[in-house]
Amino acid sequence: MKIAVVGTGYVGLVTGTCFAETGNTVTCVDIDEKKVESLNNGKITIYEPGLEALFERNIKQGRLHFTTDLKEGIEDAKIIFLALPTPPGEDGSADLKYILKVAEDLGGILTDYAVIVDKSTVPVGTADLVTKKIKENAKVDFDVVSNPEFLREGVAVDDFMKPDRVVIGTTSDRAKKIMETLYAPLVRQGNPIIFMDEKSAELTKYAANSFLATKITFMNEIANMCELLGADVDAVRKGVGTDTRIGKRFLFAGIGYGGSCFPKDVQALAKSAQQVNYDFDILKSVMSVNEKQKVKFLPQIKKHFGGDLMGKRIALWGLAFKPYTDDIREAPALYNIDELTKEGAIIQAYDPEAMENVKDLIGDKITYCDDEYEALENADALLIATEWPVFRTPDFDKVSNLLKSKVIFDGRNLYNPEDIKELGFTYFSIGRATVNG
């Protein structure tokens, strides 16, 4: 099948590459000339485990193409995916200007029936808006479908190729048949393609991400209670997570969630509720708690150093919002960098993948190190913000020798407090007793 994907960001590039891997001919369209040139030259523009091998193979075999020309990109395409940014506006609502602009352009250049698919995360009613915008100039039939993505950064290729479920919102039998054929190779093990109306599909994505964000935030609140009551959040997590009604995932306490989806989607759903005069109180609490949780350690760091951080060197392990990605959007590390440097602290940071993105964003505000041990040199404390595997079993003798003082603020609960105590560290974590070495 001939497919077009408009937008080569995270979702667009994964979508285009994976559909090419199942034998389709895919053309990805983007207005960024440098990005398209890079992609056509075989250089991938995002970090996602497993994606580069698929990308290179499908370019080599002639199934994956890139262009800046929308008309060229959609020529003969049976399905056109819109994988465009929907950034939050000043009021928190999703900004649809990129999607609606492409919809307007599509109306004038469609030459045959096509299924237009909203792959971006969009508010309820967007399919209607896209349909209306295309109809202004369209001379052929088309259908607009909502097909939200449920990709987790770091495992996106597996999520796409082996989805738990595929959600498709359409009331068109013609579009339903085409989408069913497209996804058939990905659900051969029996995982469902769930068809529903367009509005329900649009809401499903927001509901899923907001529920997961709420689950994370609830556990962070429990962790904060554990610290006050002398309980252990890891024990509570195990006791709660073995309840099959709740499940084990998204129960790990930490310094808040970040990334491109949860913060934006929670905010957008709350705004959508407000627009229909519904007060979604739980989402307001989720956003408020998460903002505070990101910089939870700041008062403890200040207290540990007698209220004065001027000139203190803090080693920072992790800059990405989660491991296995270079995505720094809403990353807790950035919030900590901002607050600590305001207090006069000096940050020495290391991340396996995200340092270039941080440098592009904040420049030389911090020092970027070649590995995790260089970041420790002469530092007064270590702050862990991302749970990269490389941080899980470090050489603690080396850590002890490089740090000026043996102090760790662990925002991801990577270590066993009793083991750390035996090594002589002062150890702060989330929802567990502080260890004084």
Side-chain angles (χ1 to χ4, degrees):
M1 198 180 300
K2 178 74 182 295
I3 297 171
V5 179
V6 184
T8 61
Y10 181 83
V11 172
L13 194 54
V14 171
T15 297
T17 302
C18 289
F19 276 134
E21 180 68 8
T22 58
N24 300 288
T25 299
V26 181
T27 301
C28 297
V29 184
D30 201 291
I31 61 172
D32 187 329
E33 293 182 1
K34 288 185 178 179
K35 182 189 284 190
V36 169
E37 182 181 2
S38 178
L39 292 165
N40 274 325
N41 288 333
K43 184 176 181 182
I44 201 164
T45 51
I46 62 171
Y47 173 75
E48 177 62 37
L51 183 63
E52 188 169 5
L54 302 188
F55 172 82
E56 290 175 352
R57 176 162 62 239
N58 284 282
I59 285 183
K60 183 178 180 181
Q61 295 180 355
R63 290 193 298 266
L64 186 59
H65 313 272
F66 301 90
T67 182
T68 58
D69 188 328
L70 181 62
K71 186 175 181 179
E72 175 190 333
I74 70 161
E75 187 176 359
D76 298 326
K78 196 76 169 178
I79 306 174
I80 302 169
F81 284 90
L82 306 185
L84 295 154
T86 54
E90 291 184 6
D91 63 354
S93 61
D95 189 342
L96 298 177
K97 64 184 177 184
Y98 301 110
I99 288 177
L100 295 180
K101 176 63 172 66
V102 170
E104 182 180 6
D105 293 342
L106 283 175
I109 59 177
L110 286 174
T111 58
D112 200 356
Y113 172 84
V115 178
I116 316 299
V117 183
D118 285 333
K119 197 65 176 170
S120 306
T121 302
V122 293
V124 174
T126 299
D128 291 341
L129 293 175
V130 171
T131 299
K132 182 179 179 181
K133 187 59 71 172
I134 296 173
K135 274 186 176 178
E136 290 177 1
N137 299 308
K139 297 179 177 62
V140 296
D141 289 337
F142 65 92
D143 281 307
V144 175
V145 167
S146 175
N147 175 215
E149 52 84 17
F150 298 97
L151 304 178
R152 296 168 295 159
E153 294 188 43
V155 289
V157 172
D158 278 348
D159 283 348
F160 198 100
M161 302 301 286
K162 302 172 185 176
D164 291 335
R165 81 291 199 200
V166 176
V167 173
I168 297 174
T170 182
T171 52
S172 164
D173 289 338
R174 188 177 184 183
K176 178 180 177 180
K177 186 174 181 179
I178 291 171
M179 295 298 290
E180 200 166 23
T181 300
L182 176 67
Y183 275 105
L186 306 182
V187 292
R188 294 183 66 193
Q189 293 182 335
N191 289 346
I193 299 177
I194 304 171
F195 288 98
M196 59 185 73
D197 64 273
E198 295 88 345
K199 289 181 179 179
S200 295
E202 290 164 342
L203 185 56
T204 295
K205 174 59 186 290
Y206 280 121
N209 277 357
S210 295
F211 181 81
L212 294 174
T214 301
K215 195 174 180 182
I216 293 167
T217 304
F218 179 82
M219 208 60 197
N220 282 335
E221 290 276 68
I222 292 294
N224 295 338
M225 285 289 292
C226 284
E227 293 175 14
L228 298 172
L229 297 171
D232 185 328
V233 74
D234 284 342
V236 176
R237 171 178 56 80
K238 292 171 185 175
V240 170
T242 47
D243 187 327
T244 55
R245 297 169 300 174
I246 296 172
K248 300 176 182 179
R249 296 172 65 184
F250 294 90
L251 291 180
F252 286 85
I255 51 172
Y257 61 77
S260 61
C261 293
F262 286 2
K264 176 174 68 70
D265 292 354
V266 171
Q267 191 177 31
L269 183 55
K271 182 62 181 178
S272 293
Q274 182 183 331
Q275 290 170 344
V276 292
N277 297 316
Y278 183 75
D279 208 1
F280 214 142
D281 286 338
I282 193 170
L283 292 188
K284 294 179 184 176
S285 296
V286 167
M287 290 185 285
S288 174
V289 170
N290 194 58
E291 287 303 299
K292 291 183 285 187
Q293 194 74 14
K294 288 178 180 179
V295 291
K296 173 184 170 57
F297 275 144
L298 185 63
Q300 291 171 294
I301 295 173
K302 289 180 68 175
K303 182 179 179 181
H304 180 79
F305 290 110
D308 183 12
L309 297 181
M310 185 60 66
K312 295 295 181 183
R313 291 184 179 272
I314 307 295
L316 177 60
W317 281 3
L319 295 169
F321 87 94
K322 63 180 286 189
Y324 301 108
T325 181
D326 59 355
D327 194 341
I328 61 169
R329 286 173 287 187
E330 297 294 321
L334 297 180
Y335 286 79
N336 281 276
I337 288 170
D338 189 48
E339 294 298 327
L340 289 167
T341 54
K342 282 179 185 176
E343 297 286 338
I346 300 166
I347 308 296
Q348 302 174 171
Y350 172 72
D351 186 283
E353 295 294 339
M355 289 196 293
E356 284 301 316
N357 287 344
V358 173
K359 193 167 187 178
D360 288 343
L361 182 67
I362 66 172
D364 295 327
K365 187 175 182 178
I366 64 174
T367 299
Y368 304 91
C369 301
D370 290 334
D371 59 41
E372 65 270 31
Y373 297 112
E374 183 182 336
L376 298 172
E377 291 180 7
N378 207 34
D380 295 284
L382 165 63
L383 170 61
I384 301 173
T386 314
E387 61 275 33
W388 282 98
V390 71
F391 303 148
R392 291 184 180 273
T393 53
D395 182 337
F396 279 108
D397 288 337
K398 201 169 184 179
V399 174
S400 298
N401 291 332
L402 290 169
L403 283 173
K404 189 185 296 185
S405 55
K406 295 169 66 172
V407 183
I408 299 176
F409 293 89
D410 183 357
R412 299 301 175 189
N413 287 3
L414 297 189
Y415 311 127
N416 184 307
E418 290 304 312
D419 293 342
I420 293 294
K421 183 177 182 179
E422 290 181 10
L423 293 170
F425 285 87
T426 297
Y427 180 65
F428 299 85
S429 56
I430 307 293
R432 306 185 296 185
T434 298
V435 168
N436 293 302

